[in-house]
Amino acid sequence: MSRSIHPERHYSSRNNWLRAGVLGANDGLISTSALLMGLTGASTGRGALVIAGLSALVAGALSMAAGEFVSVSSQADTERADLDKERRELDRNPEAELGELASIYESRGLTPALARQVAEALTRHNDLEAHARDEIGLSETIDTNPLQAAWTSALAFICGAIVPVLVVFATPDHALLPALCTSTLAGLAGLGWLSARLGGAPAGRAVLRLLLWGVVALGISYLAGEGAAGLN
């Protein structure tokens, strides 16, 4: 199927990569910072913090890559199966499929005669594309590359996780806790602003959302580490 040509660029066209990028960076930043906060609460030494931070960065990036690869591959397989099934139905009973397409347009408000006319015109143009878009809900060709999605997700995670790791490397022990909190919340605020800017949404709401969840994650992780240390 060919991509639709439209002079306007809509924010929704960015949804897939925006979601993956923000989710990856957000996950990397919060999960790694929360882990380090928990270890700080347990009064773990600097060496253990460095090892934990680097391990979390590598393991998290690989996990994100594997998850995105499997997710994209599974979605593509399902969509291809739907297209193959629709292609067979069009070969076996084109008239019934034409009637099905016309009924879809009729349900959207067209008169029966006009719905039939539109269905016939789109069928002549590209019958599989018309059914894929209006019956199955696929708006464009399946062209997502699972490997590309995997490394993009891993890179996004690393971009988030590297912040608390660098803080651990560069900050003196006495300032580590406030530095972790400040850098994490600043990073989350930046992610919220960026996602809102790219998605055309209000920035304040996006920033507040991420900051609230960041405070909760960091606070609970610190208390969990402190509590675990008290049990030993």
Side-chain angles (χ1 to χ4, degrees):
M1 287 176 289
S2 61
R3 293 179 183 272
S4 61
I5 300 175
H6 201 286
E8 298 176 5
R9 297 186 63 185
H10 294 284
Y11 294 116
S12 58
S13 64
R14 302 171 175 173
N15 276 350
N16 289 335
W17 64 264
L18 178 61
R19 177 198 62 80
V22 171
L23 177 63
N26 179 71
D27 192 12
L29 180 57
I30 287 187
S31 63
T32 307
S33 295
L35 172 64
L36 294 176
M37 285 288 290
L39 292 174
T40 303
S43 301
T44 306
R46 174 63 64 96
L49 286 175
V50 171
I51 294 172
L54 290 174
S55 298
L57 185 151
V58 173
L62 292 174
S63 176
M64 288 290 291
E68 195 69 15
F69 182 87
V70 171
S71 174
V72 171
S73 297
S74 298
Q75 180 181 348
D77 289 344
T78 300
E79 291 176 354
R80 287 192 187 96
D82 278 338
L83 287 177
D84 289 341
K85 179 180 179 181
E86 195 61 35
R87 190 179 289 109
R88 289 193 300 270
E89 292 298 322
L90 286 167
D91 290 338
R92 290 172 185 168
N93 200 340
E95 186 59 33
E97 290 298 308
L98 178 62
E100 186 175 352
L101 196 60
S103 68
I104 292 173
Y105 300 140
E106 190 176 342
S107 70
R108 294 177 182 174
L110 298 184
T111 63
L114 182 56
R116 180 79 179 190
Q117 185 180 356
V118 171
E120 289 173 350
L122 292 178
T123 296
R124 284 193 300 270
H125 173 69
N126 189 323
D127 55 355
L128 182 60
E129 179 182 295
H131 282 272
R133 181 183 59 247
D134 295 319
E135 181 182 348
I136 305 174
L138 303 180
S139 59
E140 57 187 40
T141 307
I142 304 165
D143 57 2
T144 305
N145 187 323
L147 284 176
Q148 183 181 44
W151 72 256
T152 301
S153 223
L155 183 61
F157 185 95
I158 291 172
C159 288
I162 197 67
V163 173
V165 172
L166 291 177
V167 168
V168 168
F169 271 108
T171 308
D173 289 348
H174 68 275
L176 185 56
L177 186 61
L180 272 175
C181 291
T182 303
S183 61
T184 301
L185 295 179
L188 290 174
L191 280 174
W193 178 86
L194 180 61
S195 65
R197 184 70 181 268
L198 293 175
R205 187 185 310 165
V207 170
L208 183 60
R209 253 194 319 253
L210 285 179
L211 287 178
L212 286 175
W213 281 107
V215 169
V216 170
L218 295 179
I220 291 177
S221 297
Y222 181 82
L223 292 175
E226 193 176 47
L231 296 176
N232 294 330

